[in-house]
Amino acid sequence: AVWVQRGNGSGVVTFIDSAITDSTASNTGGGILVQKTVLDDGEDDLVLIRTEVLRNRVTDETLGQGGGITGQEANVRIVDSTVDGNIASTSGGGILSSEVQSQLDARLVITGSTISYNIAGLTGTGGAAFLGGSGGGIANSGGAMNVENSTIARNEARPGTLPTPLGQGGGVYNTTTIGNPKTAQLTNCTVAYNVGQVGSQLYASIINSGLLVANTLIVGEPGGDPNCSTNTPGGLGVVSLGGNVS
C-alpha cells in the first residue's frame, strides 16, 4: 500500500494515469493511506487523476477501514478515476474520509469518477461479523464532501450479527461531527444498485446538517431496502435540492 503523510514543508502528492492494485494494509488504507499532521492550509494533500484503485483490502477483520483509500484529516481530490473491488471489514469499502480533530480539516472531492463493486463488512471470523459495515462505496465521517458527475454503483455494506449497527449506506454513508458540521453534497451523479440493510443507496446520520443531493439518479434493487435512510435527531438527513429521480 501507499502511505502519504503531509507535514510541515511538504506539498501535494499527485498520481496521474496510474494504477494502485492488489495491495493490503493491516487496518486502514488498503491501497492508499493519506494523513495530515499540520493545520489545514486549504491545499490538496492527495490528488488522483485518471487513476485506478482496484482490488485492495485491509486485513484486520475487526476494525479494518478504507479498503481502497483512507484520508485521515486530509484533503483528497479524485478526478476521472476508478475505485473498484476494494474491501474493508467495517467502514469505507472503497473510500473512507475521516475528520476527528477540527484543526485538521478533511475534504473529499470526487469528479467524473466511478466508485463500484466495493464492500464494507466481512462475514469472517473476526469482529466485523458482529459490527457490520457502513459505506460500501464511500464513508464520509466528519469532513466536507463534494461528489460531482460520478457513478456510485454495485457497492455493498454488509450487515453484522448484532441488532445495530446494520449494513448502512451501501453507496454512501455520511456523518458529521457534533457542533462542527461540514457540507456534504452529491450533484449530477448516478447512485445505483448498491446493497445495504439500512439505506441501500444513501445513509445519513447527521446532526444539524444534511447530505445534500441535486440532479442525481438514485436507483435501488426491486424489493430492496429504501434508497435513502436517515438517523437524524434534530437534523436534516438526506436533503433534496431538486432535479433528483428515485
Side-chain angles (χ1 to χ4, degrees):
V2 177
W3 180 28
V4 176
Q5 188 173 62
R6 184 164 179 241
N8 288 321
S10 60
V12 61
V13 173
T14 302
F15 290 85
I16 302 175
D17 297 322
S18 301
I20 299 162
T21 65
D22 302 297
S23 296
T24 62
S26 59
N27 56 19
T28 191
I32 306 172
L33 168 61
V34 54
Q35 299 170 312
K36 180 165 54 189
T37 61
V38 294
L39 295 181
D40 185 58
D41 58 8
E43 299 296 322
D44 291 327
D45 302 307
L46 173 72
V47 176
L48 306 181
I49 301 173
R50 299 186 301 276
T51 290
E52 295 180 327
V53 181
L54 310 177
R55 301 181 304 276
N56 305 286
R57 66 181 297 158
V58 287
T59 58
D60 187 334
E61 292 186 356
T62 302
L63 297 172
Q65 300 177 322
I69 302 167
T70 292
Q72 294 180 342
E73 278 89 25
N75 297 331
V76 176
R77 184 177 301 273
I78 301 171
V79 181
D80 298 335
S81 296
T82 299
V83 179
D84 183 281
N86 303 283
I87 300 174
S89 58
T90 56
S91 60
I95 302 168
L96 169 67
S97 178
S98 66
E99 177 184 315
V100 178
Q101 303 180 55
S102 60
Q103 297 92 342
L104 301 176
D105 291 343
R107 182 180 69 240
L108 175 63
V109 177
I110 302 174
T111 306
S113 297
T114 298
I115 316 298
S116 57
Y117 291 99
N118 303 286
I119 298 172
L122 296 178
T123 55
T125 58
F130 300 100
L131 294 176
S134 58
I138 302 169
N140 182 52
S141 179
M145 179 177 69
N146 187 38
V147 184
E148 295 183 348
N149 303 313
S150 296
T151 297
I152 303 167
R154 302 289 183 183
N155 303 285
E156 183 178 359
R158 293 179 175 174
T161 57
L162 294 176
T164 57
L166 303 170
Q168 301 171 326
V172 178
Y173 175 91
N174 190 57
T175 187
T176 194
T177 305
I178 297 174
N180 188 33
K182 302 294 178 64
T183 299
Q185 183 165 334
L186 278 65
T187 306
N188 299 328
C189 291
T190 296
V191 184
Y193 304 119
N194 301 286
V195 177
Q197 276 202 332
V198 182
S200 59
Q201 309 310 307
L202 305 174
Y203 181 92
S205 179
I206 308 171
I207 297 175
N208 301 321
S209 186
L211 174 57
L212 311 179
V213 183
N215 300 326
T216 290
L217 174 65
I218 304 172
V219 181
E221 296 282 3
D225 186 77
N227 290 342
C228 306
S229 183
T230 61
N231 178 17
T232 56
L236 297 174
V238 179
V239 179
S240 174
L241 300 181
N244 300 300
V245 176
S246 177

